[in-house]
Amino acid sequence: MTGTGRRPRGGPPRPLGVVTRGTTNPNRLRRVDNWIAVHCADLLRAAPDPLVVDLGYGATPVTAVELRARLARTVPDVRVVGLEIDPARVAAAAYAADPPGLTFARGGFELAGLRPVLVRAFNVLRQYDEGQVRAAWETITDALAPDGVLVEGTCDELGRLASWLLLDRAGPHTLTLAARLATLDTPATLAERLPKALIHHNVPGQPVHAFITALDDAWQAAAPYATFGPRQRWVRAVTAVRDAGWPVRDRPGRWRLGEVTVPWAAVAPL
């Protein structure tokens, strides 16, 4: 991260961070968007100004456009602002703007002086050192509206494998793993897409490694259920993990989508 975040006289805060690679694809973030639309809808509906920031949307504005469309189904007055450090990307996104519901601006971790209820930062911190992650979290969450949250994570190029954390000013609360079950070979491949705060801790002796190993073992044991389709196999695997003592959140209806969510405390690095 670069810069101090001090506001120049008469101007917006200096953008904090570095330009991302910008890789993006349509529907790449569909899984996390749909999760946000379910789990954060009440928070957005209760806000006087349901402002959402898509932080580091990339070389094209498609993910911000999709986020606004998906959230508007349950929060019609939602406002999405796409933020990018690279001014060329902001200029290139102008054609997709649909104010007041969707706009684009230059900004980084300081959120350009905005006070959003929710920030989605996907594939942003992956290029940073692990030691920089908590400072980035704190900068973002300090800028949130009261009770605001950050959804921070990563995914593969097509969005078939993904993971994300839900955080607020107190720190992380949950970890969610998500996969396109029709193409999932083994849950162990999700380890490649863990958030930066966890990816280097996927080693024996660490809780996140134990969780992914338990999920992978349960997936292998549930192989006979593949006859009924990958969803039934996944639900059986997640059920087995829960029954083994892991504090799995949500109900089978969410599991059938290829998701599994656990408290941060269950997977936090030792």
Side-chain angles (χ1 to χ4, degrees):
M1 290 172 288
T2 60
T4 64
R6 293 177 181 173
R7 185 189 300 270
R9 289 185 180 179
R14 180 184 302 168
L16 297 179
V18 296
V19 177
T20 64
R21 288 185 292 273
T23 305
T24 189
N25 282 300
N27 277 326
R28 188 183 186 191
L29 304 185
R30 177 175 62 87
R31 299 181 194 287
V32 67
D33 287 356
N34 290 337
W35 186 90
I36 289 171
V38 170
H39 289 81
C40 302
D42 288 345
L43 176 66
L44 290 169
R45 282 193 289 260
D49 179 14
L51 175 62
V52 174
V53 163
D54 183 10
L55 181 61
Y57 55 83
T60 73
V62 62
T63 59
V65 173
E66 292 173 343
L67 177 63
R68 188 270 187 103
R70 288 166 182 147
L71 294 183
R73 295 169 189 161
T74 55
V75 188
D77 58 339
V78 68
R79 292 197 302 126
V80 173
V81 177
L83 290 184
E84 262 291 344
I85 289 179
D86 184 353
R89 292 179 183 174
V90 177
Y95 77 91
D98 183 20
L102 177 63
T103 56
F104 298 89
R106 187 169 183 239
F109 296 149
E110 82 303 328
L111 305 184
L114 300 172
R115 300 285 283 177
V117 178
L118 185 145
V119 173
R120 185 192 65 185
F122 241 67
N123 302 307
V124 173
L125 294 181
R126 190 172 180 83
Q127 68 188 42
Y128 288 82
D129 292 334
E130 184 184 349
Q132 297 175 295
V133 169
R134 285 199 173 268
W137 287 350
E138 290 173 3
T139 302
I140 295 169
T141 56
D142 283 350
L144 292 171
D147 300 321
V149 295
L150 164 64
V151 178
E152 189 268 305
T154 186
C155 66
D156 66 356
E157 288 73 12
L158 297 179
R160 293 178 175 178
L161 301 171
S163 68
W164 56 87
L165 301 170
L166 178 69
L167 310 94
D168 60 16
R169 287 185 176 87
H173 287 272
T174 59
L175 166 71
T176 299
L177 305 178
R180 184 175 185 267
L181 296 179
T183 58
L184 181 66
D185 178 28
T186 167
T189 58
L190 284 160
E192 302 168 6
R193 298 297 165 176
L194 285 170
K196 191 69 174 189
L198 289 173
I199 194 166
H200 299 304
H201 297 276
N202 184 41
V203 295
Q206 287 287 351
V208 70
H209 180 270
F211 175 61
I212 291 178
T213 299
L215 185 61
D216 199 60
D217 289 346
W219 174 261
Q220 302 307 328
Y225 287 81
T227 302
F228 306 104
R231 287 186 175 182
Q232 290 299 321
R233 184 178 181 181
W234 178 264
V235 169
R236 179 62 182 176
V238 173
T239 300
V241 167
R242 182 199 61 188
D243 291 348
W246 287 95
V248 174
R249 299 279 183 90
D250 294 326
R251 296 176 180 272
R254 298 304 305 178
W255 305 347
R256 285 175 53 82
L257 300 176
E259 295 176 4
V260 59
T261 298
V262 293
W264 169 255
V267 295
L270 298 177

